Amino acid sequence: QVQLVESGGGLVQAGGSLRLSCAASGRTFSSYAMEWFRQAPGKEREFVAAISWNVANRLYAESIKGRFTISRDNAKNTVYLQMNSLKPEDTAVYYCAAAAGSWHNIDYWGQGTQVTVSS
C-alpha cells in the first residue's frame, strides 16, 4: 500500500513558478514510476509528466514540455514537479500517482492540490 500526499499548490501570476511535492508512505516507493496528472474544471484528467523508478526515463506532455520538470528523491520518498512560466491554462487540480507496471497504469492516487494561475 502506498499513500500519496501532494503539497505546494497555490495562486500565482502568469509567468510565475511553483514547485509541487508529493510525499509517499511505504517502503516500496523506489519501485514505482511516479506521475503527475491534472484536471481543469469541466475537463478530463490529463497526463502531465512521469519519471521512472531509477530516474533514467522521463515523459512530458507536449503542453508543458520545456516549462515543467519532474524529479524524485527516493531517499525522501518524494517526487517533485517544478513548474515555470506558468500560464492561466495550467490552472487545475494536480494529482500525484504511482505506477508499478507500465506508464500510466496507475495503482495509487493522491488527493490533489489546486494550482491557480491568474492572468
Side-chain angles (χ1 to χ4, degrees), residues 12 29 87 105:
V12 64
F29 172 78
K87 304 175 181 180
N105 188 13

Side-chain angles (χ1 to χ4, degrees), residues 16-47:
S17 298
L18 283 175
R19 188 176 82 154
L20 305 183
S21 299
C22 173
S25 64
R27 293 176 291 177
T28 59
F29 172 78
S30 61
S31 65
Y32 287 87
M34 298 299 297
E35 307 195 19
W36 287 96
F37 290 77
R38 67 186 182 185
Q39 187 167 19
K43 296 187 177 181
E44 293 188 353
R45 190 172 299 188
E46 64 174 0
F47 168 74

Side-chain angles (χ1 to χ4, degrees), residues 29 33 37 45 53 62 64 66 78 83-84 89 101-102 111-112:
F29 172 78
F37 290 77
R45 190 172 299 188
W53 67 274
E62 285 298 322
I64 58 86
T78 302
M83 305 186 296
N84 299 329
E89 52 263 44
S102 57
Q111 84 289 348

Side-chain angles (χ1 to χ4, degrees), residues 81-98:
L81 185 68
Q82 177 66 44
M83 305 186 296
N84 299 329
S85 302
L86 283 161
K87 304 175 181 180
E89 52 263 44
D90 294 318
T91 295
V93 177
Y94 283 71
Y95 297 91
C96 172

Side-chain angles (χ1 to χ4, degrees), residues 51-64:
I51 187 168
S52 60
W53 67 274
N54 61 357
V55 197
N57 297 293
R58 291 179 173 89
L59 295 177
Y60 293 100
E62 285 298 322
S63 60
I64 58 86

Side-chain angles (χ1 to χ4, degrees), residues 3-6 22 45 94-98 108-113:
Q3 292 185 325
L4 305 171
V5 179
E6 301 96 333
C22 173
R45 190 172 299 188
Y94 283 71
Y95 297 91
C96 172
Y108 302 101
W109 291 95
Q111 84 289 348
T113 186

